[in-house]
Amino acid sequence: MPTSANLLPQYKAMGQLEAACREFCDTVNDRVHRQSRRRPAEALLEERQRLHSLPNQPFTVAFGTTRRVNWESTISVEGVRYSVPHQLVDTRVWARFHGDELIVTAVGEDGPVEVARHDRAAPGHPSIKDEHYPPRENKEADRTPRATTAEEAAFLALGPGAASWLMEAAASGARHLKPKMAEAVALAKLHSVAEVDRALGTAAIAGRFAENDLISIVTYQAGLETVEPTRATEQHSLQPGTSAWSSFGITSDKDEH
């Protein structure tokens, strides 16, 4: 297209432009060609008899790059989490950007099928659609993660703090969750389960999902001491005494020499 052309006033989305292109092609292919005196659509019917047939399985690179669907029914594309139907958990799909949309394709026994479409999102703002998850009786309740492996079950067994950490970490698009979950289970063997679960809950609230964040919080909380706060009374003031000043201005014989 010429650089001076601006299609925005006529077409607000790529889908509208595609529909206009298809309509234009149908129009010109149904006209009689000046040289061949035939309609291109009629000529194509004869030419198809001589053309090679398309392969039964599609060339999947046309669908984009492969992504593995995580247990929370999402894929990561350019650091952003996008949801896909929950039936595709632990399978492989293909994702590609088409204009401002992300198209997710799955290839099954019946061929390729588009399974999800999202508007392009920015890092830190995952695109999650409720229709990709099974219906819940209480739609207002928080989605509770369910373990699909022994490692996930061991992590979630730490307590509600672990479940909160996992939901918040997945929602924020944090990466490398499995090694961090394994680290938490290992820390629970060195510290108490309650301490590690408490640290996970703190990390979920504070949004700390980076490397070594959990062990830093566990170490900090383990060093805290519960001290009864000092309160002013009629017999005792919170003002510190002046006894430390008593040695000011006094020099010893050794100092004089």
Side-chain angles (χ1 to χ4, degrees):
M1 296 293 296
T3 56
S4 59
N6 185 5
L7 301 179
L8 286 178
Q10 292 81 17
Y11 309 104
K12 301 298 182 181
M14 287 294 298
Q16 297 178 1
L17 179 59
E18 290 177 351
C21 291
R22 284 193 295 267
E23 183 179 354
F24 173 77
C25 290
D26 293 341
T27 300
V28 298
N29 288 333
D30 197 46
R31 295 175 182 172
V32 177
H33 196 272
R34 289 185 298 177
Q35 295 182 357
S36 64
R37 300 301 179 181
R38 301 181 63 190
R39 292 183 174 86
E42 296 176 353
L44 180 60
L45 295 177
E46 297 181 5
E47 293 172 357
R48 281 180 176 174
Q49 305 300 323
R50 302 180 179 87
L51 297 175
H52 293 288
S53 60
L54 295 175
N56 294 329
Q57 295 297 329
F59 191 42
T60 53
V61 72
F63 301 142
T65 56
T66 58
R67 289 292 185 272
R68 175 67 61 174
V69 181
N70 294 330
W71 72 269
E72 68 270 21
S73 189
T74 62
I75 60 174
S76 177
V77 182
E78 296 185 356
V80 180
R81 290 284 174 182
Y82 296 90
S83 64
V84 298
H86 65 93
Q87 296 88 347
L88 298 173
V89 168
D90 204 26
T91 63
R92 185 176 61 174
V93 296
W94 283 260
R96 72 185 188 278
F97 282 108
H98 185 68
D100 291 330
E101 291 184 316
L102 177 76
I103 301 176
V104 184
T105 304
V107 179
E109 296 180 355
D110 298 330
V113 178
E114 179 183 318
V115 295
R117 186 180 287 251
H118 294 265
D119 292 332
R120 185 190 291 265
H125 300 277
S127 179
I128 307 298
K129 295 186 176 181
D130 291 338
E131 60 264 26
H132 291 158
Y133 297 90
R136 293 174 289 159
E137 294 183 359
N138 184 4
K139 295 184 178 181
E140 301 301 327
D142 291 336
R143 185 178 294 120
T144 303
R146 295 183 180 180
T148 57
T149 64
E151 292 78 9
E152 294 172 358
F155 175 78
L156 294 175
L158 296 177
S164 298
W165 182 92
L166 191 54
M167 289 188 293
E168 295 296 331
S172 67
R175 306 182 65 182
H176 308 297
L177 297 185
K178 289 185 178 180
K180 296 171 185 176
M181 293 163 61
E183 178 188 19
V185 174
L187 284 175
K189 298 178 181 179
L190 300 177
H191 303 269
S192 68
V193 174
E195 291 179 356
V196 176
D197 186 61
R198 176 190 172 195
L200 288 169
T202 302
I205 295 174
R208 294 184 57 179
F209 310 113
E211 298 291 339
N212 300 322
D213 273 356
L214 178 60
I215 191 171
S216 297
I217 296 175
V218 171
T219 304
Y220 171 75
Q221 292 181 348
L224 294 179
E225 297 180 358
T226 303
V227 180
E228 185 67 21
T230 302
R231 295 181 174 87
T233 64
E234 293 293 336
Q235 294 77 23
H236 177 69
S237 171
L238 296 180
Q239 178 66 34
T242 60
S243 60
W245 294 22
S246 60
S247 60
F248 284 6
I250 301 177
T251 59
S252 63
D253 295 340
K254 182 178 180 181
D255 294 333
E256 293 178 355
H257 295 292

